[in-house]
Every structure is written in structure tokens, then in C-alpha cells.
Amino acid sequence: PVQTHEAPLNGNGVLKPEPRLNDPDTLARQIVEKLTYSIGKNPASARKYDWLRATTLAVRDRIMDHWFESADRFAEEGGKRVCYLSMEFLIGRMLRDAINNLGLTEPVREALSRYGVELDMIELLEPDAALGNGGLGRLAACFMESMASTGVPGYGYGIRYVHGFFRQEIADGAQVELPETWLVHGNPWEFERRNASYEIGFGGKVSTIQEPGRPSRQVWRPAERVLAVAYDTPMVGWRGRQVNTLRLWSAQALDPILLDAFNSGDHIGALVESNKAEAITRVLYPADSHQAGQELRLRQEYFFSSASLQDIIRRHLEENDNLSNLADKVAIQLNDTHPAVSVAELMRLLIDVHGFEWDEAWKITRATFSYTNHTLLPEALEHWPIHLFERLLPRQMQIIYAINTGIIREAAQEHGYDDGQVAAISLIDEGNGRRVRMGQLAFVGSHAVNGVSALHTDLMKQTVFRDLHALYPDRIQNKTNGVTPRRWLMEANPGLTGLITEAIGPGFLDDIEKIIEIDHLADDAGFRERFAAVKRQNKERLANIIGERMATSVDPGAIFDIQVKRIHEYKRQFLNIIEAIALYDQIRSHPERDWTPRVKIFAGKAAPSYVQAKEIIHLANDVGRVINADPAVRDLLKVVFIPNYNVSLAEIIMPAADLSEQISTAGLEASGTGNMKFALNGALTIGTLDGANVEMLEHVGEDNIFIFGLTASEVAQRRREAHSGRSIIDNEPMLREALDAISSGLFCPDSPSRFHSLVSNLYNNDWWMICADFRAYWDTQRALDGLYTQQDEWQAKAVHNTARMGWFSSDRSIREYARDIWKAGPDREG
Ligand code: NBY
């Protein structure tokens, strides 16, 4: 018989879908329905990927209801929205995060188990969304989750790269880059929104139009146009209370195929245009520490900036009469300078398209934008050659000149700036070939500019933005980074989450700062033992992975001493490797001593063009091969490099660390966020007074963190004095012997000179203070060796770390942004 349904109606008599129930029976039934009717498989023949997809679709249904609710609520409340513009969103896997935040972990597990399917197993099949390089991209992902969790109406805007961050393999010790293909099996999390698409222009000419009786205006006629098409992904907040939107743009040709060309037989030529358009969103640039400087990169930046602004303006005009109140309704955060061209683009849209006068447009623009700086490294600051900028974006270039004129006039007339001071704040660098300074553009176009840790913000005021800070002394503020405790504690470390819940109840899950309630349990031997047992299990899990992937056995009883992050000279993986070599040498020379067993674990990717970083990877692998095979050290020391570090691997590594290496040259790491993930999971930190380490010291207390080395001002001083490493090396036998071992080819007999330039850099320059900090680092490591043998003491410190890291939640960061910069969010609505 045909079943008839009473269709559920909402108050206006409009059809409404049936609400999805969350019990295991309903979930089990609906997963099989997805399998059958959406995927076309029956349970008997379904493969594990089919189960993943079916489960994802069933979970997604449950997200939709919350998603619409959130969208309706924002529209109804009419509050201020926050748009987070970022070239990168390094999200990782989404299923576990969504299930966890919806409170569905146990019901879904139970539902799947009825078909003999393990949730944990299918979760591992999901590809990482690796649309980012490292800290900056991962911060954007934590912020999206925290905005949804703290009630901020947040919209992420970025690029839907077809190929995310490359996959790393190690071949004969060296990094090999392979393309990443996260979309090949389709992406069940995204929704293509064909109705949200915008034309993006490039090149062409600007002409002045003079109509009788009206002021002249500029008209830009681009030579090229491409289409930006939106793809939306839901971002589920804690307890599903709010679901925000991540909108990523994909480039398409306006004319997918040139029919004239095709019909005249030029089948390749007919596709040239669409290939060129689609190239814009084809691949993520994999450099995190120097500017690519390529035209395609500038195209990417403008493409997603313009699409996002057009989208923001369109929605604003759907809800408001005009754009004059834009800044009351939207805050736009620029994640570094990658979207800084937005400042000029919003001016263009306001003036050329919407008819605003310059002064009014400038007021709106400044009130709308704010900008986050993530680096002080000069080689990483974006500056585009004027000729390239002018050719690609002629109207935006005119606007930048006009902004510059205004700023310079203000500085000269109101503050008496001389030519030298004017040159320092100018948006145009007249030095090495004229260039547009994107940092300066972002700064002057924003009402607030922030650094990502207290130290970094201070240094910003003294270095990159010294002159602009003098001109606008209230503009720079600090917003120390944070990490989301849902992904980085609950999901990554269910064992520890369970233990803490048993001890203090589940309140800390809603307010992570309540985790301080376990602080006094550092004195409770029973609690310490259970805390250590959780760590031990997490170490065993990592040891198994190392055994499987690298055929190296490591002892979970040893100190797991871990440095995982992008490979860069300033992060000083080299210092860590040198210390490993020195330790190796000492163990061989003094086998009778009571050495504490250690496993040194490295992971991270080098930018493909960064030669020294690749050499460091090669060295870590070569050193590991020799040490791990030497029967003289056996289980006292192992060195392993785990290939292809990504978010999913980090989720396994962070909970398994005893010791977290945060050893950047002081003054160089803007904040760090891995440092926070490790400490939250109970690792002790060995680190320099750099980035957020400084604030971690204040929170966990000096007894619970191991700080060594030069301070940022000492580093600056030594650099001015231009020391080389030679005299230090001459006076430090352990360091000299380690470097000699490298130079001798001990670790690379096939190619003994492989690391000569790495070593000679230390003798000649020691720019990164590796020699200068070696002894302090060595001594601190040996103190940690001693401490590890006092397990009670070590575990007490570990408990204090977990207990006192609540402040480093991205919920706290987001609340500060909402309060101080965006003036948006739950505290100011209603
Ligand atoms: O941003 C990192 C900082 O190094 C780290 O200290 C901080 O914690 C984190 C979040 O604030 N910066 C970073 O990850 N930068 C990049 O990934 C990056 C990517 C691309 C480009 C520059 C930097 N680029 O110019 O293309």
C-alpha cells in the first residue's frame, strides 16, 4: 500500500523537513538509507568508503537544521556579522569534529556497530582538507570553530583549492613533493552555490568619464573576466548551538568553451580561456616564509578578495537601504596581508560602482577592516612590483596612489614629517624597484591592527610598523592566539578528557578555563598515575604508527621529545638535531652513565624552493638512520622523522608527547600554536622566550616550563655586533664534535659534503643563534633527563600544564576580537 504522510508545516504553512532524531536506531536506519538511495550500495556489498560517505550524509542532515536556524536567527537579529578573509583554512578532517560538537559520537558509534562497522576506522578514511600551510591556516580553522562555539555570526571567506598543501614523502632521506587530491572522491561537506557567483576582472584600462554637469568618474574596463563560484561548508559549533558558513571561491571561465574556436577546429584553443581561469584556484602556494611574487599568486589574492567583498555588499544591500552603515553591520578581518588588496577593492566598489565620495568611502573602509599580522620576517612581508600590480589591477593601483597621497599629506601637514619619515610610512617602496607594501596598505586601511602574542605585538611596534605606529599610536593591539579545545583536547585525547571528566565533572567542556580545577590533583598520587597511564597509551598509539610507517621500533617508556612544525631555519630544528648528535656522541663515549632513554621525533614540511630547510630534513633522516642502527646506543636514543605532517597526524602526536620543542630564535616566532596544543595535552615545554611561550610561562609558572637561551633583545644585540659562531664552536667541544661529525660525512657516506654549507653557515655567521644557544639548550635537556627519572615530579608538572592552559583556548581569543575589534557577537545583541 502507498503510504501517505502528513507533511509537516511551519507556522506560515510552508513545508518543513522532518526533524532528524539522534538515537542509534534512527541513525542506523538513516545511514543505510543513504547507503542505498544516495550512494547506490546495499549494506552487504558496501565498502568502507561507502560507509564513510553514508555516515557523513546522515550527520550532514542533522547539521542542516541547525545551519538554517542560525542563518534565520542572524537575519532576524540584524546584528553585526564578522567576515574572516583568509587565503588559508587548514581544517583537517571534518567528520569527527562535527559528530563531537553535535554530541553524536556514541549514538553514531552504536549505529555503525550494528553493521559491524567501526566509527574510528571509517573516520580515518576521510581526506584532510589541507587548505593551508601551517599556523596561520590552522588558526583560521580554530577561529571558525570558536566563532560558531561562542555565538559570533562568523563567515569564513577563502579559496577552494583543487590541490591543497602537497603530500610529503621521504625518499633516501630527502623530501619529495606529491600533489594532493582531496577532492577526487567528491566532497560531501560542500554545497555549490551557483546563485552566489561574481565576475572578477583583470587587466585592461581605466578611462575617465566626464558627463555634463557631473563630477568626472573612473571606469575600469578589464581585459579579462573570470567567474567566482561559491562553495559553502558548514562549521559546527560546540553542542551544535550554532552553525556558521565557510564560503570558498572556485574560479571558472565565463565561457567554458569558445564555440567559434571549437567549431573552426581549434579544439585546444577553445579551452585555453577556461584553463587560464581555472588555474587561479588550482593550487595552494606552499611557501610560508617568503613571498612567492608570482602573478598567479596576486591573481588568487585579488580574485578571492573581490568575490568576498561583492558577496558582502550584495547581502548588505538585501538587508539595508545603502552602504553607508556597512561598518555597523559587518566587520572584515584580514588574515595577514594576503587579502590586503581588499582595502583598494572596497574603495573601488564604493566609489566607482556605488557612487560614494572619496572621504565617505575611506571612512567606511577603515571602520570595516581590521588586520592581523603574523610575521616580522622581512622576507615574508608581501610587496608587489608596481608594474605587475598596475598591469593586473590598474584601477586598484590608482586608488592605492590616492590613499598614499592622503596619508603622506596628513603626516607632513599635521605631524611635520620630513622626507625620510614619509618614505618610511609610504605605501610605495621606492627602493629595490618600486613596490606596493601590502602591510602598510592593510595598516592604513584598518581601524585596528593586531599581533598574535604580547611579545610579537611589542616587536611590531618597534620594527615593521614603527613609523606607522608613531603616526597612529592607538591602532596596534594584541590578541594572543589560541587553539580550540574541542579538536585539540576532546577529540584528539579522549582518554585525558575522560579522566578529567571523572575528576571534576563535564563543566570544563563548556568553559575550558574550568580545567584549572584539576590543578590541585597534581599532588594526588592516584590521579598522577592515571594521568601518566593515559599518556602511556597515547605514546603506544604513536609508537605503533612509527613502527608501521617507518619500520623503526621505539620504546614508549622513553621520553617522547617532539618537534613538529614547518621546517625553517628560525624554528631551529637544526639545533635539535645537533643536540641529538652530541648526545649520541656522549652516550657512545660514556656508556656507563645513567642515560635517560629518549626518542627524538620530528615532522614537518619544507617549502619546495627552500634549500636549507630541505637540507635540514635530509640531515634529520640521515642522522636517524645512523643512530637507530647503532647497537652501541640501542634504546637510549632514537631519532625519527615522520613523513607528511598534517592536521590528522598532529591529532595523534600532540597527546603522545612528553616534551614539546618550542626553540625558535627569540623574536622570530610570532606566537606558535603547537606549543599550546602540546601543553594542553600535558607535555612539558622546552623553549625560548619567544612568541606565546612568554605568556605560557606566566600561566603555567616557571617551575613547569623549561626556558633557555637568548632573549629577543639579546638576539638583536648580538646581530648588531655581528658575531660568528666560530669562537663559540672553538670553546664548546660537544658542539664542535657534533659539527665535525656532520662535516665528516658520518651520516651521509654516499655524499660526504652534503651538509657542508649548513655547517659553514654556523662558523661564518650563526644568524639564527644556534651556536650561541647550544650550551643552554644542552644543559636544559640534561636537567629534563634527570627530572624524567623522578616520575612523580614530572607528572605533577604535566598535570599543572594541562590545568593551567585553559586561557589559550581560541574561544578566549575570539571573545577578545569580538569585544575589542569587531564590536560584534553575543554580548552586544538583543
Ligand atoms: O602564524 C604563523 C606564525 O609563524 C606563527 O608563529 C603563528 O602562531 C601563526 C598563527 O598566528 N605564520 C604562518 O603560518 N604563516 C604562513 O603560513 C604563511 C603562509 C603563506 C605566506 C606567508 C606565511 N605567503 O606569503 O604566501
Side-chain angles (χ1 to χ4, degrees):
V2 178
Q3 265 201 330
T4 51
H5 272 289
E6 268 296 289
L9 302 176
N10 69 14
N12 302 321
V14 174
L15 276 171
K16 209 168 87 175
E18 278 184 77
R20 297 289 191 256
L21 301 177
N22 291 336
D23 60 287
D25 290 334
T26 311
L27 276 162
R29 203 175 57 246
Q30 291 183 345
I31 289 171
V32 165
E33 276 182 18
K34 295 294 184 192
L35 202 57
T36 312
Y37 298 113
S38 302
I39 299 168
K41 289 281 180 82
N42 65 49
S45 67
R47 294 168 168 253
K48 42 196 189 163
Y49 277 96
D50 302 322
W51 286 106
L52 167 64
R53 198 174 168 84
T55 307
T56 301
L57 292 175
V59 169
R60 197 181 76 174
D61 281 359
R62 284 152 178 81
I63 296 173
M64 296 312 296
D65 297 329
H66 297 278
W67 203 1
F68 290 130
E69 250 170 55
S70 296
D72 292 347
R73 181 159 53 78
F74 299 158
E76 205 172 288
E77 288 172 353
K80 195 167 177 181
R81 301 176 205 254
V82 173
C83 298
Y84 198 83
L85 266 60
S86 179
M87 283 285 271
E88 308 193 358
F89 288 91
L90 184 46
I91 296 171
R93 294 186 179 127
M94 295 190 245
L95 181 61
R96 182 185 295 164
D97 200 46
I99 291 181
N100 177 64
N101 280 5
L102 291 168
L104 292 178
T105 307
E106 290 318 312
V108 171
R109 192 190 303 286
E110 163 71 31
L112 283 170
S113 73
R114 300 196 182 159
Y115 308 105
V117 176
E118 266 186 67
L119 173 60
D120 295 340
M121 183 274 292
I122 62 166
E123 279 177 351
L124 300 182
L125 304 174
E126 185 184 348
D128 273 35
L131 309 184
N133 270 284
L136 173 152
R138 183 53 234 177
L139 186 77
C142 282
F143 278 8
M144 287 306 297
E145 199 271 356
S146 276
M147 285 195 276
S149 294
T150 60
V152 174
Y155 295 76
Y157 279 105
I159 294 179
R160 180 182 179 273
Y161 301 105
V162 175
H163 302 286
F165 198 24
F166 67 80
R167 193 158 59 80
Q168 177 195 57
E169 282 183 9
I170 302 297
D172 298 325
Q175 168 172 298
V176 177
E177 301 97 24
L178 298 150
E180 180 276 352
T181 54
W182 68 303
L183 292 172
V184 282
H185 298 296
N187 175 5
W189 294 109
E190 68 183 9
F191 293 86
E192 183 179 349
R193 306 290 192 204
R194 286 246 137 218
N195 58 326
S197 59
Y198 302 94
E199 281 187 30
I200 313 296
F202 294 101
K205 286 202 181 71
V206 180
S207 37
T208 307
I209 304 279
Q210 184 70 68
E211 284 158 4
R214 312 191 73 208
S216 68
R217 51 193 185 89
Q218 305 298 316
V219 174
W220 175 31
R221 289 184 215 291
E224 246 180 276
R225 287 173 204 275
V226 303
L227 199 63
V229 179
Y231 286 74
D232 288 350
T233 300
M235 296 277 121
V236 184
W238 175 231
R239 298 207 188 273
R241 269 186 221 121
Q242 186 169 307
V243 176
N244 285 346
T245 302
L246 173 62
R247 175 160 280 190
L248 302 179
W249 300 107
S250 179
Q252 293 187 5
L254 285 166
D255 273 332
I257 191 161
L258 299 178
L259 271 184
D260 285 351
F262 192 81
N263 291 338
S264 69
D266 183 7
H267 297 169
I268 303 293
L271 293 172
V272 163
E273 209 162 290
S274 93
N275 283 337
K276 188 166 183 201
E278 286 163 22
I280 295 174
T281 52
R282 184 107 57 209
V283 63
L284 169 79
Y285 274 93
D288 71 327
S289 57
H290 67 267
Q291 204 209 331
Q294 285 160 17
E295 175 175 333
L296 183 60
R297 168 79 184 188
L298 183 56
R299 282 176 180 262
Q300 289 185 335
E301 296 187 354
Y302 176 68
F303 168 82
F304 104 98
S305 296
S306 179
S308 307
L309 292 174
Q310 291 186 57
D311 195 48
I312 290 165
I313 286 175
R314 185 179 74 169
R315 190 178 40 230
H316 185 84
L317 290 176
E318 282 167 8
E319 299 173 349
N320 299 270
D321 297 338
N322 61 61
L323 289 166
S324 52
N325 66 338
L326 183 69
D328 302 331
K329 297 292 177 183
V330 193
I332 305 179
Q333 190 69 34
L334 303 174
N335 196 24
D336 216 298
T337 56
H338 318 149
V341 66
S342 295
V343 170
E345 177 68 358
L346 181 58
M347 287 295 284
R348 182 185 75 82
L349 293 168
L350 289 172
I351 295 169
D352 297 1
V353 180
H354 296 279
F356 279 80
E357 296 293 328
W358 179 275
D359 288 350
E360 173 78 358
W362 187 233
K363 211 181 267 167
I364 294 170
T365 296
R366 265 193 201 207
T368 303
F369 285 116
S370 43
Y371 152 58
T372 306
N373 172 279
H374 295 268
T375 186
L376 306 172
L377 277 177
E379 61 270 32
L381 300 176
E382 285 190 295
H383 42 72
W384 290 103
I386 297 257
H387 63 84
L388 169 59
F389 210 105
E390 207 149 43
R391 175 165 59 75
L392 212 57
L393 303 168
R395 177 58 182 142
Q396 292 76 1
M397 190 67 238
Q398 280 184 346
I399 289 170
I400 289 170
Y401 280 130
I403 294 171
N404 202 32
T405 305
I407 301 288
I408 289 172
R409 189 184 301 133
E410 182 183 337
Q413 288 176 2
E414 291 172 34
H415 302 269
Y417 273 38
D418 63 25
D419 286 357
Q421 289 169 303
V422 162
I425 59 158
S426 174
L427 305 190
I428 310 298
D429 180 356
E430 306 282 352
N432 40 68
R434 305 182 71 218
R435 286 163 179 273
V436 189
R437 294 162 156 166
M438 303 307 275
Q440 264 82 347
L441 177 62
F443 190 114
V444 302
S446 298
H447 65 282
V449 175
N450 75 284
V452 291
S453 73
L455 173 66
H456 167 236
T457 300
D458 279 348
L459 293 171
M460 267 169 74
K461 294 178 184 171
Q462 295 167 31
T463 60
V464 262
F465 294 126
R466 197 185 56 198
D467 303 283
L468 281 170
H469 175 57
L471 199 55
Y472 305 104
D474 301 326
R475 197 162 297 185
I476 297 183
Q477 47 179 297
N478 179 241
K479 291 288 165 280
T480 300
N481 284 166
V483 300
T484 168
R486 270 76 59 187
R487 184 177 290 260
W488 295 110
L489 182 61
M490 291 185 77
E491 296 159 33
N493 203 342
L496 185 54
T497 306
L499 174 61
I500 299 170
T501 307
E502 271 175 46
I504 61 170
F508 73 105
L509 300 176
D510 293 283
D511 176 3
I512 190 66
E513 301 210 25
K514 291 204 171 117
I515 200 171
I516 189 68
E517 291 168 17
I518 66 163
D519 201 45
H520 70 282
L521 296 173
D523 302 329
D524 177 331
F527 184 80
R528 282 198 309 263
E529 253 165 55
R530 286 190 290 162
F531 193 93
V534 169
K535 179 66 74 180
R536 171 76 191 208
Q537 273 195 352
N538 291 330
K539 288 168 73 175
E540 279 165 7
R541 181 172 62 161
L542 179 57
N544 287 335
I545 286 176
I546 292 171
E548 284 163 19
R549 294 198 193 160
M550 288 126 71
T552 305
S553 80
V554 296
D555 171 14
I559 301 181
F560 275 22
D561 165 353
I562 308 188
Q563 186 171 23
V564 289
K565 50 181 80 243
R566 289 301 293 266
I567 312 295
H568 198 291
E569 289 163 281
Y570 85 79
K571 293 176 187 279
R572 299 200 295 191
Q573 284 92 354
F574 193 21
L575 173 60
N576 192 347
I577 299 167
I578 293 170
E579 194 263 339
I581 297 168
L583 181 58
Y584 171 55
D585 200 38
Q586 290 295 305
I587 293 172
R588 283 174 53 106
S589 314
H590 307 284
E592 74 291 350
R593 286 195 194 153
D594 207 6
W595 298 102
T596 305
R598 232 184 230 258
V599 182
K600 285 219 176 236
I601 297 168
F602 295 88
K605 292 172 185 176
S609 61
Y610 190 170
V611 174
Q612 288 92 330
K614 289 183 138 179
E615 286 173 356
I616 290 165
I617 290 177
H618 208 155
L619 180 64
N621 281 285
D622 283 358
V623 167
R625 199 180 53 248
V626 170
I627 293 182
N628 300 346
D630 188 339
V633 289
R634 284 205 316 279
D635 265 1
L636 293 176
L637 180 62
K638 289 269 164 78
V639 174
V640 288
F641 186 98
I642 310 179
N644 201 36
Y645 183 57
N646 60 12
V647 173
S648 295
L649 187 57
E651 288 169 13
I652 294 165
I653 288 178
M654 299 295 169
D658 295 304
L659 187 58
S660 155
E661 298 270 355
Q662 307 300 334
I663 59 175
S664 52
T665 313
L668 274 291
E669 189 70 271
S671 161
T673 45
N675 47 0
M676 302 168 189
K677 295 164 196 166
F678 276 115
L680 181 62
N681 283 282
L684 306 192
T685 300
I686 179 167
T688 47
L689 278 179
D690 200 14
N693 296 353
V694 178
E695 289 149 272
M696 285 171 57
L697 163 65
E698 287 161 12
H699 280 82
V700 306
E702 61 179 6
D703 293 343
N704 302 307
I705 187 168
F706 292 81
I707 298 293
F708 72 94
L710 299 175
T711 63
S713 59
E714 288 165 350
V715 168
Q717 178 68 22
R718 266 189 83 82
R719 280 186 174 179
R720 279 193 296 272
E721 294 163 2
H723 295 271
S724 76
R726 186 174 302 277
S727 62
I728 298 172
I729 298 167
D730 289 344
N731 291 300
E732 188 59 78
M734 273 187 305
L735 174 59
R736 189 177 59 244
E737 280 155 27
L739 297 181
D740 286 349
I742 297 173
S743 303
S744 73
L746 177 63
F747 305 107
C748 47
D750 51 323
S751 165
S753 63
R754 180 174 293 150
F755 304 115
H756 279 185
S757 78
L758 272 186
V759 172
S760 68
N761 284 344
L762 299 187
Y763 276 93
N764 297 332
N765 188 304
D766 197 26
W767 182 247
W768 307 104
M769 307 289 152
I770 285 174
C771 300
D773 275 343
F774 173 79
R775 184 72 217 193
Y777 182 55
W778 170 271
D779 289 342
T780 308
Q781 291 285 23
R782 301 293 74 78
L784 282 157
D785 279 343
L787 183 69
Y788 197 73
T789 64
Q790 311 294 313
Q791 272 296 298
D792 283 354
E793 268 187 64
W794 181 289
Q795 295 301 336
K797 291 181 195 299
V799 172
H800 285 311
N801 268 270
T802 297
R804 299 176 184 184
M805 284 299 291
W807 188 80
F808 294 91
S809 163
S810 44
D811 295 350
R812 188 269 315 150
S813 308
I814 285 299
R815 289 197 181 97
E816 291 183 4
Y817 277 88
R819 182 191 66 202
D820 302 337
I821 299 180
W822 302 330
K823 322 279 186 212
D827 300 338
R828 34 195 91 240
E829 273 161 21

